[in-house]
Every structure is written in structure tokens, then in C-alpha cells.
Amino acid sequence: MSDYLDWPDLSFNSLVAFLNQQNQQQHDVQLEIFSRFWQPASYQALTQSFIWAPAFAALSQPFYIDDMQKARQNLLGQLIRPCTKVSDLVNQRFSLPELNPDLVIFHWSRCGSTLLSGALAKDPDVKVVSESMLISQMLMDPHWHASEHQELLDLALRLQGRFRHGEHQLVVKCNAWDLQDWRLWARSYPAANIICLGRDPAKIFSSHQRLSGMHMVPLPVPVWRGEYKPDLQSGICWQVQVLQTLMQQSSQLLAESTACWLDYQQLVELEAEQLAVILRLSSPEFFVRNWSLHKQMDAKQPESFFSPEPAKHDANSGEMADARIRLQQLYQYVRLVANKAVADRTMTSDLS
């Protein structure tokens, strides 16, 4: 580095200070070449920029953010963190290979989506982009107009989903709150198979009582746009609103698209061959061989066997009882919509 920078008295501390200064600068890059070896790790809303991490290893962690943390653990990732302006990259996206996901997974959280995506990710032919915060945060940034969202999504997915390690199938597992953008995903990738995972809301509540997901607590920077108004007086009230919204958006998705519905109980009880048909896997052999064992493992700690925790007693039983009645009604409505959509598609297929 001393010779490269023509800096004869360069010390390690001086190098680190220099690199930190460079990491604050926004760089112009030739995106096609640059993105062969670097991948966007995070989005900075303050400057509408991508921060990059090395892309030398295939994605392997339950969530994309975990892979980015792992990529930054090597020396290169610790010292060099390039920063680029998103607006400078949008028009360059056409120099990248076009990418269309084979499968897009929406879910309500705690519904088996990580279990499913983890099983798919074990196949070396499949690349899984799991819960990309970069995509969610960019689409939530009010700096961007809704008319720009489709090209921003296209840019992010071409970069994050780029096949760098021999993969040739792409699966995207969205964040739970990305259901609010289901029309954008369906419009952008009309050939993609879309799966929506849900679960008995009482089971979801029980899971979030132990450890709440970020969309289940009011945050200073909310993950919801527009109509979402947090009730800071009651965590239960907030969680009810969240689940109501997810169910309403799911019913719209199922009624207006060709998306398939999977309840958590179905997911864990279906035979691997049946599930592979629903997922429309082009090469299901690997998945079929490994699904039975994989679904016994802890989705978020893949090296450990899953052990269900005992249900937690609700602190406010009266409020929870009222909430469960309302949510159960909506849950049953979603299932009816899903069944009707299947029946309509079957009838259309028979007539044709």
C-alpha cells in the first residue's frame, strides 16, 4: 500500500485513518465489473447511498444482514466499505444480467418462512435473498417517489441476487411488512411464483410475546407507510393492528393475483413432493431429499434441533380475548379467499 499510494512513511494507523476517510466518500463505479466482487450490504437514507461488502462467498445465513456481517469480518471487509450514490447507479442497472426471481415468499412472521427459505438455500443451485433490509428501507425512504420504486427494486435485486457462485435459481423472502408492496413485486416480476405464508394469529402472538419482531413494536422510524398510526399506549393494540393489516393485504394478494397460500400447519405436514409442486421448483430433487430432516431443525439456528417453547400466558387476558376474536374472524376470511382462488383457478384450467 505504501508503494501503491506513493506514501513512503505510511504507517498502519495512517492507513486506517486514510481508508476511513475514503469510506466516507461517494465513489463512481463501473457497476457491472464492480458488482462481480462487491454486493450492496446496506442503505443509507441520509445520503440515498449503498454501502458495499465483499461478495467472495455464497449467501449461507438465515438472513441477508447476517451474511453481510459475516462478509465484513475479513480484513478487506473491515478496512474497505465503498459507498455509492443510488441515483448514479439506476441507469447502469441495464449493464447487469437481467434477474427474475423464481419464487417470492411473503409472510406474517413466525409462520415458517425462514424454515422454508433455509431449506431452499441448502441447494447450491439456489440463491436465497432473505429479508433484505436494503430493499425495504429504500422503498420506505420518502426521498423516492412511488413512480421510481420499480426501477429501484430492479436495481437492488439485480445487485443482491446476482449469481456469483454458480447458482441459477433465485428465491426472495421478503420482510413481513413488504406485503404492503405486493403489487410492486407482482408487477415487476409477473412470471415469479408467489407464496404467502400465514398462521393462526394466537400462535403468532405467543411467539412475539417471547421475542417481538421489529414490525411488532412502534419504532421511531416506522416500517409502515401511509395509513399506519402506532398506538403508543398499548403494545397489544399495535400488534393487533399489524396482524390485521398483514391479513388484509394477504387477502388482496390472494384475490387479485395467482399467489398461493400456505398455512404453517400445512407447511410442516405436507410431504416434500407435494410442497415442491406448490413451490414450482424446476429441480426439486435436492429439496425433496432434505426437507424431512431440515424441518426438524431450528430455522434461525440451523445447527440445532427445533424445540418448541411452552406457550406464555397473556398478561392482559381480557384485551387479548377480544383481539383474538377479531383476528380469528379475519384469519378465517383469508383462508376462504385462498380456497376460492384455488377453486377459481381449477375451474378456469378445466374449462380451458
Side-chain angles (χ1 to χ4, degrees), residues 111 198-199 203 262-270 331:
C111 299
R199 191 180 190 181
K203 301 290 187 182
L262 267 179
D263 188 87
Y264 174 80
Q265 209 59 39
Q266 290 177 289
L267 177 68
V268 297
E269 291 178 357
L270 280 172
Y331 174 57

Side-chain angles (χ1 to χ4, degrees), residues 74 175 196 199 222:
N74 62 46
N175 287 297
C196 183
R199 191 180 190 181

Side-chain angles (χ1 to χ4, degrees), residues 138-276:
M138 187 164 56
L139 296 180
M140 288 186 292
D141 187 349
H143 172 84
W144 305 107
H145 190 270
S147 62
E148 300 173 288
H149 284 181
Q150 190 162 345
E151 61 185 21
L152 292 171
L153 176 59
D154 183 40
L155 169 66
L157 205 60
R158 289 190 195 222
L159 290 170
Q160 291 190 319
R162 183 168 186 172
F163 299 140
R164 302 179 178 91
H165 304 284
E167 315 97 337
H168 57 82
Q169 299 176 57
L170 178 63
V171 173
V172 179
K173 179 166 81 82
C174 296
N175 287 297
W177 56 88
D178 292 329
L179 255 171
Q180 64 191 318
D181 291 314
W182 75 260
R183 289 187 177 87
L184 171 64
W185 284 88
R187 183 172 65 249
S188 301
Y189 306 108
N193 184 24
I194 298 178
I195 300 292
C196 183
L197 288 170
R199 191 180 190 181
D200 185 323
K203 301 290 187 182
I204 296 177
F205 265 127
S206 178
S207 179
H208 282 288
Q209 291 299 306
R210 292 191 294 269
L211 180 65
S212 287
M214 63 180 292
H215 63 299
M216 281 295 194
V217 293
L219 297 173
V221 180
V223 296
W224 303 97
R225 293 193 300 273
E227 75 279 4
Y228 237 97
K229 305 295 182 186
D231 181 356
L232 298 178
Q233 302 303 313
S234 170
I236 292 176
C237 183
W238 170 264
Q239 292 184 358
V240 169
Q241 291 179 56
V242 169
L243 281 180
Q244 284 177 329
T245 295
L246 290 170
M247 291 185 195
Q248 290 163 354
Q249 290 165 345
S250 296
S251 64
Q252 293 168 357
L253 167 66
L254 295 166
E256 299 175 27
S257 75
T258 59
C260 293
W261 161 263
L262 267 179
D263 188 87
Y264 174 80
Q265 209 59 39
Q266 290 177 289
L267 177 68
V268 297
E269 291 178 357
L270 280 172
E271 295 295 330
E273 292 83 0
Q274 297 172 296
L275 188 53

Side-chain angles (χ1 to χ4, degrees), residues 6 19 37 40 73 103 118 130 134 140 155 162 187 197 215 217 236 239 256 267 297 300 313 344 352:
D6 192 20
L19 290 174
F37 311 104
Q73 288 174 1
L103 175 65
S130 179
L134 178 144
M140 288 186 292
L155 169 66
R162 183 168 186 172
R187 183 172 65 249
L197 288 170
H215 63 299
V217 293
I236 292 176
Q239 292 184 358
E256 299 175 27
L267 177 68
M297 311 306 291
K300 296 177 175 61
H313 180 70
D344 290 346
S352 63

